[in-house]
Amino acid sequence: VGDRVVGRVWSFRDVTKREKAIRDLVRSEKRYRTSLEDNLFSIVRVRQGKFLSINNAFSELTGYTEDEIKKLTLEDVVHREDLNHFSDFAEDVVSGRQPMGNLECRVVRKDGEIRYILASVKGYYDESGAYLEATVTAADITQLKEVENALAESEARYRSLVEASPDGILLT
């Protein structure tokens, strides 16, 4: 009354559920980040040909650190002979004509070694359909390609032996 305090008003709100939800979200985010970073497949986020983020597998595949790769573009990493095919595919994803798909191409490592990859690309778009970014999940298929090439060479040698042989050959 007057200048004198005669009481207090206390207000309490139970924030237990909110705090638990925040802790659960932080834990979930950590699990998600760990699953991306430690994934055996390369996972890359790209926008307009620039790298937004990469995981450890992509760093191992290319030999570049995340800081180094963010200074490069996809054209710096994709093999020169595969660029036209890759650019056409990327244009289809950006335009929304093909919002997702698979692509086989070669990448050039930091040390110059060439690796074959099978990439699955998924485009993301805003509510109006405008392109935002893409996620690329890639598997290193270099060993598979080497085995395919060795098999093709072996078949070619065998075929040339059979065709050049003066004797008839019967396969049963």
Side-chain angles (χ1 to χ4, degrees), residues 2 17 21 50 65 67 69-70 72 76-77 108-109 120 123 131 146 152 170:
K17 288 181 183 176
K50 297 204 180 274
T65 65
D67 289 339
I69 203 83
K70 284 183 176 180
L72 302 175
D76 296 319
V77 179
V108 181
R109 287 178 43 86
S120 176
Y131 172 78
E146 290 170 351
L170 175 64

Side-chain angles (χ1 to χ4, degrees), residues 17-100:
K17 288 181 183 176
R18 180 173 165 242
E19 291 299 316
K20 182 183 180 319
I22 290 171
R23 282 193 308 276
D24 289 348
L25 180 61
V26 167
R27 261 186 257 132
S28 176
E29 215 171 86
K30 184 177 180 183
R31 279 193 311 271
Y32 177 72
R33 181 169 303 283
T34 300
S35 72
L36 288 179
E37 290 172 356
D38 296 342
N39 201 302
L40 295 175
F41 291 97
S42 296
I43 301 174
V44 181
R45 288 179 45 240
V46 293
R47 181 182 306 127
Q48 306 302 334
K50 297 204 180 274
F51 295 94
L52 301 175
S53 66
I54 66 171
N55 69 348
N56 295 334
F58 191 74
S59 184
E60 289 175 22
L61 174 70
T62 62
Y64 291 103
T65 65
E66 186 166 5
D67 289 339
E68 290 171 326
I69 203 83
K70 284 183 176 180
K71 296 174 186 167
L72 302 175
T73 66
L74 286 167
E75 290 183 353
D76 296 319
V77 179
V78 174
H79 191 279
R80 209 172 270 151
E81 293 174 13
D82 295 341
L83 273 177
N84 285 339
H85 177 61
F86 185 85
S87 295
D88 291 345
F89 182 79
E91 186 178 308
D92 286 346
V93 171
V94 170
S95 70
R97 285 189 300 268
Q98 185 177 354
M100 62 187 310

Side-chain angles (χ1 to χ4, degrees), residues 95-122:
S95 70
R97 285 189 300 268
Q98 185 177 354
M100 62 187 310
N102 297 322
L103 171 74
E104 189 176 297
C105 68
R106 293 167 289 180
V107 295
V108 181
R109 287 178 43 86
K110 183 179 177 179
D111 61 13
E113 181 185 358
I114 296 171
R115 307 295 294 180
Y116 288 85
I117 63 166
L118 177 61
S120 176
V121 181
K122 167 86 171 94

